[in-house]
Amino acid sequence: MSIATEPNGTATDNVELAQPVAKVVVAHALTGHSHSLGQSYMKAESPHTRGPSPIDFDGLSFPSIGARERREDTEETRAARIQKISGAVRTILECIGEDPNREGLLKTPERYAKALMFFSKGYEESVTHLMNKALFQEDHDEMVIVKNIDVFSLCEHHMVPFTGKIHIGYIPQNGKVVGLSKIARLAEMFSRRLQVQERLTKQVAIALQELLNPQGVAVVMEASHFCMVMRGVQKPGSQTITSSMFGCFRDNAKSREEFLSLIRRSGI
């Protein structure tokens, strides 16, 4: 990442992505600002298809048609948003046979509205702002792994939680590395929204691939889905494991096995 200076003296971040994404979309996506492209990413894509990059639509990522508006909330519009969710929760309480006016439930709609805003706070975050000033040049070309990162997300099919751990590794190219805490924050950003585990895993991998252009990226996630535990087949203890690998991790069996053996290893 390099720092450029605007004519007015304001520093701006310039991030070069080496992956094949349309330059106009990438340049706009990385700013995190709300200037219009004329034709938005969401309009350009079918609602049933998604583009190849999770770093689109002002860096706020797909599928998030209302993310920009939410990110730019004022105190007044955020309060109105919470009030609207609270009203919907009150309706739900009535529909399941509860009395929203009884003592234990009086403040539940507002509490749940605020909790839901926190559970989905990833919609408000931009990849570029998240990675701000966290890309460095370092003489290192061996594997970097951050493992056992706790993640909490909401299944987009039932809006119940799935929780687990994600392991992220990459091999730098040309000495380009990222701050370790930012790797965990990237996983947090993509998980704090309505998700499916397969997409979450791949979004993290593609984002790192586009930001760093490393020799390879590997992401493995293991999670328990409450939609399988509390309802449906009701199988406590079941785990879902997904992986997404690029570059040398996909093409080279030895690199892939080294990564998998390291994330399986316990202790320090």
Side-chain angles (χ1 to χ4, degrees):
M1 178 181 290
S2 60
I3 305 299
T5 304
E6 296 289 351
N8 62 7
T10 303
T12 59
D13 295 324
N14 291 331
V15 182
E16 295 294 333
L17 299 191
Q19 299 305 305
V21 184
K23 285 188 177 180
V24 65
V25 175
V26 171
H28 183 60
L30 289 176
T31 65
H33 300 312
S34 61
H35 306 303
S36 173
L37 271 174
Q39 182 182 23
S40 75
Y41 166 79
M42 297 304 294
K43 288 181 180 177
E45 293 289 335
S46 159
H48 303 294
T49 62
R50 300 183 175 100
S53 171
I55 312 179
D56 321 271
F57 193 51
D58 299 348
L60 296 170
S61 184
F62 59 75
S64 52
I65 195 167
R68 186 197 304 176
E69 180 182 346
R70 174 173 167 179
R71 178 176 173 170
E72 296 175 351
D73 271 350
T74 63
E75 289 186 15
E76 292 77 15
T77 56
R78 189 173 184 86
R81 191 183 295 273
I82 290 174
Q83 185 176 14
K84 188 175 181 180
I85 297 172
S86 299
V89 174
R90 184 181 175 88
T91 300
I92 291 171
L93 290 173
E94 292 172 347
C95 289
I96 65 172
E98 262 293 355
D99 176 12
N101 293 314
R102 69 178 177 85
E103 184 181 7
L105 294 178
L106 275 176
K107 294 186 178 180
T108 296
E110 184 180 357
R111 289 192 194 103
Y112 183 80
K114 291 179 178 178
L116 187 60
M117 292 291 283
F118 179 82
F119 296 155
S120 60
K121 66 186 177 73
Y123 285 124
E124 302 174 18
E125 297 173 343
S126 157
V127 173
T128 310
H129 288 186
L130 188 73
M131 293 294 177
N132 184 34
K133 300 178 182 178
L135 303 182
F136 309 101
Q137 287 297 128
E138 193 64 46
D139 183 20
H140 186 82
D141 60 0
E142 298 293 336
M143 200 174 299
V144 178
I145 299 174
V146 181
K147 68 177 187 176
N148 294 329
I149 303 168
D150 290 313
V151 288
F152 306 89
S153 193
L154 291 176
C155 163
E156 69 178 31
H157 300 140
H158 302 97
M159 287 187 69
V160 293
F162 65 94
T163 66
K165 294 184 182 294
I166 193 167
H167 317 287
I168 303 169
Y170 73 97
I171 299 179
Q173 182 162 255
N174 300 323
K176 194 173 184 180
V177 300
V178 63
L180 297 178
S181 68
K182 299 299 185 180
I183 295 177
R185 288 184 183 276
L186 190 67
E188 172 80 358
M189 187 194 91
F190 284 119
S191 65
R192 290 293 187 178
R193 51 183 75 183
L194 300 185
Q195 277 286 14
V196 295
Q197 184 175 330
E198 298 89 340
R199 183 171 70 233
L200 170 55
T201 307
K202 194 164 189 177
Q203 283 183 331
V204 172
I206 296 176
L208 270 182
Q209 182 70 23
E210 292 188 0
L211 286 164
L212 297 176
N213 187 29
Q215 297 180 52
V217 171
V219 178
V220 172
M221 181 175 176
E222 45 194 325
S224 175
H225 291 248
F226 281 45
C227 58
M228 290 180 61
V229 173
M230 298 176 64
R231 57 162 299 283
V233 294
Q234 299 180 60
K235 297 297 180 185
S238 62
Q239 279 196 323
T240 300
I241 301 176
T242 51
S243 70
S244 183
M245 301 195 183
F246 295 99
C248 63
F249 290 107
R250 180 187 286 267
D251 301 332
N252 188 312
K254 290 185 68 175
S255 296
R256 183 166 60 252
E257 182 53 39
E258 181 183 357
F259 171 76
L260 294 174
S261 67
L262 287 172
I263 66 173
R264 285 193 294 262
R265 182 183 298 178
S266 60
I268 298 176

